[in-house]
Amino acid sequence: MNSRRDFLKNLALASAGVALAPSLESFAVAKKDWFDISLAEWSLHKTLFKGDLNNLDFPVIAAKKYGIYGVEYVNQFFKDKANDNNYLTELNMRAKDNGVRNVLIMVDGEGNLGDEDETKRKQAVQNHYKWISAANFLGCHAIRVNAAGKGTPDEVSKRVVESLTALSDIGKKAGISIIVENHGGISSHGDWLAKTLKAVGSKYCGSLPDLGNFYEYDRYQGVTDLMPYAHGVSAKTHDFDANGNEIQIDYERMLKIVKKAKFKGYVGIEYEGSKLSEEEGIFATKKLLERLRPLI
């Protein structure tokens, strides 16, 4: 497949820019905490959509305003820049200059990995190649993808397994994991997603449990299902009570589940509330995580 060969060729070229990315050694500090806090760019989606913030300044704001030194990008805020090495180099430098680690890229809008149409499904897989390359260039450890499609749960799972297997094979070559979020539909059933990831059976394919994206499925069971495959955790928040606790999610209970799974990595703040401003919501979530982290 020409697109696959072209991708691997471009990946080799992009890898030449990895030296510009923040390396793991750059962040080699004595770690006392069992998880690090990162900031998901979606927490600032209103500000970004209004044009009051752009993607290049996201790592700068994360560090200087919020005191957070890990960032999770959302591809729609630099949709046309996945293959732009000049842009990615500038993004790398802004992160590095502020001591920020580029953690992952959340990828949306590139087609359904469980699409019924085989041609569309294969195109969706190919559409993700450029984001694997961009993540490699930026020094990220993963891209977050979605498991969506129409059909019975078993039918969708079979197609998603095929797509994730193909992406994980490419991800392995790039040193990038393909991680799936419970992001609505059948993917928000923890048992279904865990079974699907088990069927892929690759250490380069895992989960990004979102603590809030469960609907008819019990959220605590869902996180328990997904933690054995977790390459990160998304700390979704909406509203807080007078004591600073999230009112919909028992965060102490959730973090105990996360720690019991022997998780070590980034827990990403993803504030989606409306009662607090984005700034206030980010700080409230950070305060909650920092308060509970040493107690769990």
Side-chain angles (χ1 to χ4, degrees), residues 16-276:
V18 174
L20 296 173
S23 66
L24 289 174
E25 287 76 13
S26 300
F27 301 91
V29 294
K31 291 185 179 294
K32 297 180 181 179
D33 298 316
W34 62 275
F35 68 82
D36 293 310
I37 296 174
S38 52
L39 179 61
E41 193 169 19
W42 191 252
S43 297
L44 292 161
H45 68 277
K46 296 174 185 176
T47 304
L48 284 150
F49 283 133
K50 284 172 60 179
D52 292 339
L53 176 66
N54 66 66
N55 186 67
L56 284 173
D57 287 330
F58 173 52
V60 181
I61 291 294
K64 291 188 174 180
K65 187 171 186 176
Y66 298 105
I68 298 173
Y69 297 93
V71 292
E72 303 177 7
Y73 297 101
V74 175
N75 73 323
Q76 63 183 289
F77 297 120
F78 59 124
K79 190 82 171 183
D80 59 341
K81 303 297 185 182
N83 295 316
D84 187 337
N85 282 4
N86 289 331
Y87 180 92
L88 297 178
T89 296
E90 177 65 22
L91 188 57
N92 260 337
M93 293 305 296
R94 295 196 187 194
K96 185 176 181 180
D97 288 347
N98 288 277
V100 172
R101 168 74 189 273
N102 296 325
V103 177
L104 59 84
I105 303 174
M106 296 186 178
V107 179
D108 301 301
E110 295 292 2
N112 291 332
L113 297 178
D115 203 293
E116 295 173 285
D117 186 298
E118 184 177 4
T119 300
K120 290 181 179 179
R121 188 168 68 251
K122 288 184 176 180
Q123 185 60 57
V125 170
Q126 291 178 26
N127 290 345
H128 285 77
Y129 289 174
K130 60 183 177 290
W131 294 109
I132 295 175
S133 179
N136 170 277
F137 194 102
L138 290 171
C140 299
H141 77 87
I143 64 168
R144 188 277 280 144
V145 304
N146 299 300
K150 295 180 180 179
T152 67
D154 285 345
E155 289 170 344
V156 177
S157 180
K158 182 179 179 180
R159 300 186 206 115
V160 169
V161 167
E162 178 184 310
S163 296
L164 290 177
T165 298
L167 284 175
S168 298
D169 288 344
I170 293 292
K172 181 178 180 179
K173 294 179 174 66
I176 299 297
S177 295
I178 313 301
I179 59 178
V180 187
E181 180 183 352
N182 47 304
H183 210 191
I186 191 63
S187 75
S188 286
H189 290 248
D191 54 352
W192 179 90
L193 185 51
K195 181 180 177 181
T196 298
L197 295 174
K198 183 178 181 179
V200 177
S202 170
K203 71 176 183 178
Y204 284 91
C205 183
S207 66
L208 180 67
D210 184 304
L211 306 186
N213 283 352
F214 295 97
Y215 305 100
E216 66 271 14
Y217 195 88
D218 180 81
R219 69 178 75 249
Y220 304 99
Q221 182 59 51
V223 173
T224 300
D225 294 337
L226 296 178
M227 281 311 302
Y229 307 94
H231 291 225
V233 173
S234 187
K236 179 67 60 62
T237 55
H238 289 90
D239 297 310
F240 300 84
D241 63 21
N243 295 317
N245 293 310
E246 219 285 340
I247 63 174
Q248 297 179 28
I249 302 170
D250 182 340
Y251 258 77
E252 182 173 355
R253 181 179 176 185
M254 278 297 193
L255 290 178
K256 285 180 178 178
I257 294 172
V258 172
K259 189 170 187 181
K260 185 177 180 180
K262 302 186 185 307
F263 175 80
K264 291 184 183 298
Y266 281 94
V267 173
I269 294 171
E270 191 172 50
Y271 173 68
E272 278 193 346
S274 57
K275 292 183 179 179
L276 297 178

